Amino acid sequence: MNELETLHSWVEQSSRIVFFGGAGVSTESGIPDFRSEDGLYRQHFEYPPETIISHSFYLAKPEYFFRFYREKMLPLGFEPNVTHRVLAAWEKAGKLSAVVTQNIDGLHQKAGSEKVYELHGSVLRNYCTRCHKFYPAEYVKNADGIPLCSCGGIVKPDVVLYEEGLDQVVLENSIRAIRAADLLIVAGTSLTVYPAAGLVNYYRGSRLVLINRDETPYDSAANLVIHESLGNIFSTFA
């Protein structure tokens, strides 16, 4: 049995699948990732991207932060791809119990997934830091300079910046889902960003699948490793 046949067999036999995904899940929707050859971190800016999307930079240079955020981190107008759609279908069929994602684009929900744990937040949620009034992503996108609330406060995207902690409720729900999974599919992530990458260690089963174009630090711990594009793999389930 080859790798793809094994994966199909495991999916067929499982009823508590958890999918843990990173930027590679959305690249086939046209959203660039961070660490590949043409990714965000390989591009040249006045400051390193890791610095720009840090909490301290956001506080010190908010105008520059929002300019970068609008140009590079606000993926509006993109559509779910086959991976998003297959996962939503698995959930609807009662086979998938949760999606845990490092992405902030909201495409899993757009495809129809309901149980989605967004480790790094979402660009679709934006709140005034003073009065907590909600604003849609389009408001931030179309604002001139720093997006301001009607009360005068800054409207901050609900995304986790460097130096900020993950939402504890989201983290605990993710851990609980991964612990209970009978099949954990980790895909489209380099597994180098912590604490997110460490979630793999909470899996207690014997069917850990890693799907990624490049090797990851967890390849040796997986029960099945597939170095292939997600679209090629998930299109076989569509």
Side-chain angles (χ1 to χ4, degrees):
M1 191 180 289
N2 66 26
E3 295 165 344
L4 190 55
E5 289 171 339
T6 299
L7 179 60
H8 271 260
S9 172
W10 287 0
V11 169
E12 182 66 31
Q13 296 163 16
S14 302
S15 58
R16 296 188 311 279
I17 301 170
V18 170
F19 179 88
F20 176 28
V25 177
S26 294
T27 51
E28 288 172 38
S29 290
I31 299 173
D33 66 1
F34 286 80
R35 288 176 172 77
S36 65
E37 272 184 45
D38 51 355
L40 187 60
Y41 288 175
R42 300 293 182 94
Q43 299 176 33
H44 296 289
F45 303 99
E46 195 176 336
Y47 305 91
E50 297 99 319
T51 299
I52 301 171
I53 54 178
S54 67
H55 183 74
S56 53
F57 191 94
Y58 158 78
L59 292 176
K61 297 180 182 290
E63 201 149 343
Y64 193 103
F65 168 85
F66 277 105
R67 191 166 82 242
F68 178 89
Y69 177 79
R70 285 189 194 95
E71 290 178 12
K72 301 297 181 182
M73 294 186 64
L74 198 46
L76 301 181
F78 292 91
E79 293 300 321
N81 60 52
V82 66
T83 301
H84 298 108
R85 294 194 298 271
V86 167
L87 293 171
W90 286 355
E91 182 184 28
K92 193 173 183 182
K95 296 188 71 63
L96 182 135
S97 54
V99 169
V100 179
T101 181
Q102 295 171 278
N103 294 338
I104 57 176
D105 51 46
L107 290 183
H108 284 293
Q109 290 93 329
K110 198 171 185 179
S113 290
E114 295 182 10
K115 190 65 72 69
V116 182
Y117 299 125
E118 297 171 306
L119 294 172
H120 296 153
S122 172
V123 299
L124 303 181
R125 298 188 299 268
N126 304 271
Y127 300 95
C128 172
T129 53
R130 183 184 295 173
C131 75
H132 307 294
K133 181 180 176 181
F134 172 86
Y135 285 88
E138 288 75 15
Y139 183 84
V140 175
K141 181 80 171 176
N142 298 326
D144 188 23
I146 301 168
L148 297 176
C149 175
S150 53
C151 78
I154 295 178
V155 177
K156 182 181 181 293
D158 186 18
V159 298
V160 179
L161 305 177
Y162 284 106
E163 304 164 353
E164 293 180 342
L166 301 188
D167 183 288
Q168 282 304 302
V169 174
V170 173
L171 192 57
E172 287 165 14
N173 285 335
S174 301
I175 291 170
R176 193 175 298 116
I178 288 171
R179 271 190 175 139
D182 56 5
L183 169 61
L184 176 61
I185 301 175
V186 182
T189 172
S190 60
L191 289 174
T192 56
V193 176
Y194 286 83
L199 291 178
V200 177
N201 297 320
Y202 288 98
Y203 179 58
R204 294 290 177 262
S206 57
R207 291 178 172 177
L208 171 58
V209 180
L210 291 188
I211 307 172
N212 200 50
R213 287 186 307 181
D214 306 312
E215 291 182 4
T216 79
Y218 283 83
D219 281 14
S220 60
N223 304 107
L224 180 64
V225 178
I226 303 175
H227 292 302
E228 180 61 84
S229 79
L230 291 182
N232 288 346
I233 298 299
F234 277 84
S235 61
T236 66
F237 290 95

